[in-house]
C-alpha cells in the first residue's frame, strides 16, 4: 500500500477531480471541503479529527448510528462468504431472509419484495410495475398509462422519478425529457393556498384530487405520494386523515396507490412505516434510505399478491417483469439490512424513540418565538424549521440570500452538520441519538439561527420559486 495522502492533499484532489451532487462547484472549489474520515454513533469525524453531530443522519439514511457493532459485524461476516453474486437467475441467503423479514414488518397486504439499489430506482420500478400490471391484468380497463402526483413532490433524480416530481429548481430544466403526468396541489397548512385552517377546513385540499381521480381514472395507472411528509419539498406535512383519504379515492376508482417511503420508512416518523399512522396499505411501496441502517445502497419495491399475480403466465406470454440491475439483491446490503432489523428488535428502537420524539418537540417549541422562525414542522424524527424574513407576512428570504446555508455554516463551526433545503433548516437525527446529544443539537441550531440578520429593507425581497 502506498502512503496515506495528507488531509491537505485530499482536499486539493477533491477540488481537482470531483463533481459533487446538488453542488455549485464554482463555490465548492473556493471553499475548504470537509472530508469525513470516520464516524461513531451520532458523530462524524473529519480528516483533522474534528467531531460533528450528524444532524441529517448522513442525508436521512442513518438509523442506529455510525459504527454500530452489530451492523459492522454483519458486513464482515457476509464478506467472509461472498461480496456479490447476481440475482438474475440465482438467489442468495441474506436476500431471501431479508425479504421474509420485510414482509413481516410491512403494512399488511404487501407480500412481495423486488430489490434494487437506490430510492429512485425503487420508484421507477413501482411506476413500471403499475403500468405493466394494468396492461396485463386488466386490459379491458384500457391504457392506464399516467400518474397523479403532488406538486413539490420529490421521488428521486432519474427520469421517471423526476417525471412524477415537481420541484421547479431541480426539475424544470429537464421537462423535455419527462413523460406527461397529472399534478395536484399538495396540502400546505402554513401557506394554505385555499387560505383555510385545519381542522375547520375539513381538508378541502382533497376535493380537487377527488375530482381528478374521478375524471381521469380511466388513464391513471396510479397515484404516487410521499406519505405524511413531503420531505425534499421542505418538510411539508399532510394533515391527519389525508393519506387515508387518498387511499379511499384510489380504491374507489381502481387506481393503484404508490407510497414512496424512501425518506419516511424505518422509524423516521415514529412508526416503522409512515403509512401505519393512517392504517393504510398501499399497492406498491418504495423503500431505501434507512433500509440498511444507512450502511449500503439498497432499495426495494414491495407489492401485493394481486399485482404479483398479474405478472404470472407461461414464458411465451411475456408477462415477465423485464427489469433488473447489476447489483439487485446484493448480499452485503441485504446482510446489513437484516442486522438493522435485528437491532430494531433488540434495542427496541421504536419504543426508545417515542420519548425522544416528545423531547425533540419540547426542545423545538421555544425556537418558534425567534423572529427568524416562521414555522416548525415535525413528524417524529423529521423536522423542518422554516426561516422567514417577516414573521407576520411570512415573507420568505430570497433564495439568493442563502439564509439556510448561512445558518448551516455557523452550525458547522459549532460542531453540527446540517443540509438545509432553501429557507428550511432540516433536522433529521439518527434514531439512536442520546437525549443529551439531541439537546446539544437543538441548542447549536438555536444559537446559529439567532446569528441570522433579518433584512429590515423590504426592497431586497425578490420572490423566487423554489
Ligand atoms: C431520497 C429520496 C428518493 C431518492 O432516493 P435516492 O436513493 O437518492 O435515489 C426518493 N424519494 C424520496 C421521498 C426521497 O427522500
Amino acid at each position: 500500500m502506498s502512503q496515506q495522502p495528507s488531509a491537505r492533499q485530499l482536499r486539493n484532489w477533491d477540488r481537482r477531480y470531483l463533481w459533487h451532487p446538488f453542488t455549485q462547484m464554482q463555490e465548492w472549489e473556493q471553499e475548504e471541503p470537509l472530508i469525513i474520515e470516520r464516524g461513531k454513533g451520532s458523530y462524524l469525524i473529519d480528516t483533522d479529527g474534528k467531531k460533528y453531530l450528524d444532524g441529517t443522519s448522513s442525508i436521512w439514511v442513518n438509523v442506529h448510528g455510525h459504527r454500530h457493532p452489530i451492523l459492522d459485524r454483519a458486513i464482515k461476516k457476509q464478506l467472509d462468504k461472498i461480496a456479490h453474486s447476481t440475482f438474475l437467475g440465482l438467489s442468495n441467503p441474506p436476500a431471501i431472509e431479508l425479504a421474509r423479514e420485510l414482509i413481516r414488518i410491512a403494512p399488511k397486504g404487501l407480500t412481495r419484495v423486488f430489490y434494487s439499489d437506490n430510492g429512485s430506482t425503487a420508484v421507477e420500478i413501482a411506476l413500471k410495475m403499475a403500468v405493466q400490471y394494468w396492461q396485463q391484468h386488466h386490459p379491458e380497463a384500457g391504457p392506464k398509462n399516467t400518474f397523479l402526483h403532488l406538486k413539490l413532490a420529490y421521488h428521486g433524480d432519474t427520469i421517471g422519478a423526476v417525471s412524477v416530481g415537481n420541484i421547479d429548481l431541480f426539475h424544470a430544466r429537464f421537462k423535455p425529457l419527462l413523460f406527461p403526468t397529472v399534478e395536484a396541489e399538495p396540502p400546505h397548512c402554513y401557506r394554505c393556498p385555499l387560505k383555510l385552517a385545519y381542522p375547520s377546513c375539513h381538508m378541502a385540499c382533497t376535493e380537487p384530487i377527488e375530482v381528478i381521480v374521478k375524471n381521469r381514472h380511466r388513464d391513471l395507472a396510479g397515484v404516487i405520494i410521499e406519505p405524511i411528509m413531503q420531505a425534499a419539498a421542505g418538510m411539508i406535512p399532510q394533515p391527519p386523515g389525508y393519506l387515508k383519504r387518498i387511499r379511499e379515492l384510489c380504491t374507489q376508482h381502481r387506481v393503484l396507490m404508490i407510497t414512496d417511503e424512501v425518506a419516511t420508512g424505518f422509524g423516521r416518523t415514529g412508526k416503522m412505516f409512515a403509512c401505519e399512522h393512517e392504517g393504510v396499505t398501499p399497492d406498491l411501496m418504495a423503500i431505501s434510505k434507512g433500509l440498511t441502517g444507512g450502511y449500503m445502497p439498497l432499495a426495494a419495491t414491495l407489492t401485493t399478491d394481486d399485482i404479483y399475480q398479474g405478472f404470472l403466465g407461461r414464458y411465451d406470454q411475456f408477462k415477465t417483469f423485464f427489469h433488473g440491475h447489476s447489483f439487485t439483491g446484493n448480499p452485503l446490503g441485504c446482510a446489513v439490512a437484516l442486522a438493522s432489523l435485528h437491532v430494531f428488535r433488540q434495542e427496541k428502537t421504536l419504543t426508545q424513540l417515542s420519548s425522544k420524539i416528545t423531547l425533540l418537540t419540547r426542545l423545538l417549541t421555544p425556537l418558534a418565538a425567534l423572529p427568524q422562525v416562521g414555522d416548525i414542522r415535525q413528524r417524529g424524527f423529521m423536522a423542518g424549521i422554516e426561516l422567514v424574513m417577516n414573521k407576520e407576512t411570512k415573507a420568505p428570504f430570497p433564495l439568493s440570500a442563502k439564509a439556510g446555508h448561512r445558518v448551516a455554516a455557523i452550525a458547522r463551526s459549532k460542531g453540527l452538520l446540517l443540509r438545509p433545503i432553501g429557507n428550511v433548516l432540516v433536522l433529521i437525527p439518527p434514531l439512536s441519538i442520546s437525549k443529551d446529544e439531541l439537546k446539544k443539537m437543538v441548542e447549536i441550531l438555536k444559537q446559529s439561527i439567532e446569528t441570522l440578520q433579518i433584512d429590515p429593507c423590504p426592497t431586497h425581497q425578490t420572490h423566487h420559486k423554489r
Side-chain angles (χ1 to χ4, degrees):
M1 280 255 287
S2 61
Q3 207 198 328
Q4 292 290 319
S6 70
R8 226 189 74 126
Q9 228 165 7
L10 287 170
R11 283 195 279 268
N12 289 337
W13 289 346
D14 183 295
R15 285 178 293 215
R16 179 162 338 148
Y17 297 113
L18 278 173
W19 191 342
H20 286 265
F22 284 95
T23 302
Q24 178 42 262
M25 293 305 291
Q26 183 174 308
E27 288 176 7
W28 179 270
E29 284 184 33
Q30 275 146 33
E31 290 165 12
E32 285 289 286
L34 181 55
I35 304 175
I36 300 302
E37 191 176 58
R38 285 173 298 133
K40 183 83 188 144
S42 306
Y43 285 93
L44 298 169
I45 302 156
D46 74 7
T47 39
D48 297 327
K50 191 163 183 246
K51 278 172 72 179
Y52 302 87
L53 279 164
D54 188 357
T56 72
S57 291
S58 295
I59 218 72
W60 319 356
V61 300
N62 194 277
V63 177
H64 306 295
H66 300 282
R67 299 269 357 244
H68 192 292
I70 294 177
L71 275 65
D72 287 9
R73 207 176 318 126
I75 293 188
K76 287 176 186 161
K77 220 172 128 198
Q78 180 57 39
L79 206 46
D80 282 337
K81 295 172 185 158
I82 190 169
H84 184 66
S85 62
T86 181
F87 220 53
L88 279 69
L90 299 175
S91 199
N92 70 69
I96 297 167
E97 281 183 66
L98 176 61
R100 182 166 173 268
E101 288 295 321
L102 287 173
I103 293 309
R104 271 177 34 143
I105 61 167
K108 200 168 150 51
L110 296 175
T111 56
R112 288 281 165 179
V113 177
F114 192 101
Y115 290 116
S116 58
D117 33 50
N118 61 70
S120 309
T121 54
V123 166
E124 299 273 347
I125 287 162
L127 301 175
K128 288 173 76 175
M129 274 183 179
V131 166
Q132 191 176 336
Y133 167 78
W134 288 116
Q135 285 171 9
Q136 293 174 174
H137 196 54
H138 289 290
E140 76 286 357
K144 282 162 84 71
N145 287 338
T146 192
F147 293 91
L148 172 65
H149 63 87
L150 296 180
K151 290 185 181 166
L152 299 180
Y154 179 81
H155 297 292
D157 288 331
T158 54
I159 293 303
V162 170
S163 293
V164 292
N166 175 280
I167 298 183
D168 272 352
L169 181 64
F170 306 164
H171 298 157
R173 71 202 73 221
F174 300 116
K175 271 258 152 68
L177 300 179
L178 309 181
F179 55 73
T181 59
V182 185
E183 292 177 351
E185 207 61 52
H188 194 345
C189 295
Y190 178 57
R191 299 177 185 280
C192 178
L194 304 172
K195 309 259 182 290
L196 298 172
Y198 184 85
S200 60
C201 61
H202 299 292
M203 286 199 298
C205 54
T206 61
E207 285 162 21
I209 297 182
E210 184 173 348
V211 173
I212 294 171
V213 176
K214 213 180 246 167
N215 292 340
R216 299 289 304 268
H217 68 94
R218 268 175 224 88
D219 42 38
L220 280 179
V223 174
I224 180 164
I225 187 167
E226 295 163 80
I228 307 291
M229 188 82 122
Q230 284 191 287
M235 299 297 153
I236 301 176
Q238 295 148 13
Y242 185 88
L243 195 70
K244 206 182 172 95
R245 184 76 194 114
I246 300 293
R247 174 70 272 184
E248 287 164 2
L249 291 173
C250 288
T251 307
Q252 203 178 338
H253 297 283
R254 295 228 307 171
V255 171
L256 299 178
M257 182 187 198
I258 304 170
T259 54
D260 176 352
E261 292 251 13
V262 172
T264 51
F266 300 96
R268 191 42 71 190
T269 66
K271 294 193 184 284
M272 190 54 96
F273 298 104
C275 287
E276 294 172 34
H277 291 282
E278 305 256 316
V280 158
T281 298
D283 298 290
L284 292 142
M285 179 169 97
I287 52 176
S288 184
K289 290 193 170 96
L291 170 58
T292 59
Y295 266 54
M296 298 278 293
L298 184 74
T301 308
L302 273 54
T303 192
T304 61
D305 199 49
D306 180 50
I307 293 190
Y308 176 73
Q309 292 288 334
F311 287 77
L312 302 183
R314 287 189 326 274
Y315 180 77
D316 59 6
Q317 290 178 294
F318 302 117
K319 288 184 172 183
T320 305
F321 186 50
F322 290 104
H323 185 109
H325 298 282
S326 315
F327 286 99
T328 296
N330 172 257
L332 285 174
C334 293
V336 72
L338 259 176
S340 171
L341 295 181
H342 173 74
V343 172
F344 264 103
R345 287 192 299 273
Q346 179 164 310
E347 297 183 357
K348 301 189 169 52
T349 305
L350 294 178
T351 314
Q352 299 289 334
L353 183 62
S354 82
S355 65
K356 289 189 249 183
I357 291 172
T358 313
L359 175 63
L360 179 60
T361 309
R362 219 178 64 216
L363 294 170
L364 288 175
T365 303
L367 271 62
L370 298 177
Q372 299 92 338
V373 173
D375 194 25
I376 297 177
R377 305 185 278 265
Q378 184 196 354
R379 288 286 187 275
F381 250 22
M382 298 180 95
I385 295 114
E386 182 166 337
L387 303 169
V388 287
M389 200 147 62
N390 185 317
K391 232 176 150 84
E392 300 306 314
T393 64
K394 304 182 181 178
F397 286 94
L399 275 191
S400 55
K402 296 174 78 179
H405 184 88
R406 274 153 53 204
V407 172
I410 302 284
R412 173 167 151 181
S413 72
K414 294 174 184 288
L416 167 64
L417 294 181
L418 299 173
R419 176 90 187 170
I421 302 168
N423 292 326
V424 180
L425 297 169
V426 171
L427 203 61
I428 305 229
L431 305 192
S432 58
I433 194 170
S434 74
K435 290 185 178 175
D436 282 343
E437 287 165 346
L438 195 60
K439 284 179 193 159
K440 191 168 159 193
M441 223 179 229
V442 180
E443 182 53 36
I444 295 176
L445 183 69
K446 180 164 175 282
Q447 289 170 6
S448 306
I449 295 173
E450 282 168 342
T451 65
L452 187 70
Q453 293 284 325
I454 300 174
D455 192 342
C457 175
T459 53
H460 288 177
Q461 294 184 25
T462 31
H463 289 261
H464 286 249
K465 271 185 159 179
R466 199 185 285 286

